[in-house]
């Protein structure tokens, strides 16, 4: 039997891998960009602890980028990575909305940007769910 190519899924995973790698490197190596990203908040809002946490998040983004790279090479064998990314995007779509209503985040970001980012993450999760490999073909163990 021929293997389905999953070309579109490989392209989407490769794009996410590249995007996360760039974001991870930027988060690790540029603290001034983080200041601009928050639209010039007061100095009391940006602390050394926040910058250290952002650098750690950059490391996690790089780790996720590597996992997505390996998953893009063979999506059929790495369905768990694709599923984990889908669930992670759903969680990342909900948490900013919770922060919007429980914290005073609108001083840092406008509410419509938070909603737009959450909707984009849900749309991307839907695309990944739609493109994920549905069934794996059973093969016996060993060389028969």
């Amino acid at each position: 039997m021929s293997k389905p190519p999953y070309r579109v899924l490989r392209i989407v995973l490769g794009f996410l891998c590249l995007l996360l790698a760039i974001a991870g490197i930027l988060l690790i190596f540029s603290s001034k960009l983080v200041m601009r990203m928050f639209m010039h908040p007061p100095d009391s809002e940006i602390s050394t602890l926040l910058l250290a946490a952002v650098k750690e998040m950059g490391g996690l983004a790089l780790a996720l980028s590597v996992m997505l790279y390996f998953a893009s090479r063979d999506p059929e064998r790495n369905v768990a990575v694709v599923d984990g990314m889908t669930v992670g995007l759903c969680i990342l779509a909900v948490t900013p909305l919770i922060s919007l209503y429980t914290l005073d985040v609108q001083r840092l970001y406008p509410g419509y940007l938070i909603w737009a980012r959450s909707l984009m993450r849900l749309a991307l999760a839907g695309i990944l769910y739609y493109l994920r490999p549905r069934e794996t073909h059973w093969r016996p163990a060993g060389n028969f």
Side-chain angles (χ1 to χ4, degrees):
M1 294 181 102
S2 65
K3 290 175 30 176
Y6 300 112
R7 181 175 295 186
V8 177
L9 179 61
R10 293 179 70 188
I11 291 171
V12 170
L13 289 175
F15 173 73
L16 285 174
C17 168
L18 181 67
L19 190 69
L20 280 170
I22 292 170
I25 289 170
L26 284 176
L27 287 174
I28 289 172
F29 292 114
S30 66
S31 298
K32 295 192 187 282
L33 179 68
V34 173
M35 300 283 267
R36 288 187 186 160
M37 196 170 62
F38 284 117
M39 299 179 195
H40 302 290
D43 289 335
S44 63
E45 296 289 331
I46 302 292
S47 67
T48 307
L49 181 62
L50 174 68
L51 293 176
V54 166
K55 289 184 187 306
E56 288 186 23
M57 291 304 294
L60 286 173
L62 280 177
L64 183 59
S65 173
V66 170
M67 287 193 312
L68 287 176
Y69 170 72
F70 289 131
S72 71
R73 291 174 50 196
D74 190 7
E76 192 173 22
R77 291 185 69 195
N78 296 303
V79 178
V81 174
V82 176
D83 289 344
M85 186 68 187
T86 304
V87 171
L89 283 170
C90 290
I91 292 169
L92 284 174
V94 172
T95 53
L97 298 176
I98 294 171
S99 296
L100 181 66
Y101 291 112
T102 58
L103 302 171
D104 191 20
V105 179
Q106 287 191 339
R107 288 189 316 160
L108 300 175
Y109 282 124
Y112 67 89
L113 285 178
I114 294 173
W115 274 98
R117 187 174 61 185
S118 292
L119 290 176
M120 291 284 291
R121 287 175 177 168
L122 279 177
L124 191 56
I127 289 170
L128 284 177
Y129 182 74
Y130 177 74
L131 294 175
R132 74 183 284 276
R134 294 291 175 204
E135 69 180 54
T136 57
H137 300 286
W138 182 83
R139 285 177 263 169
N143 297 324
F144 293 108

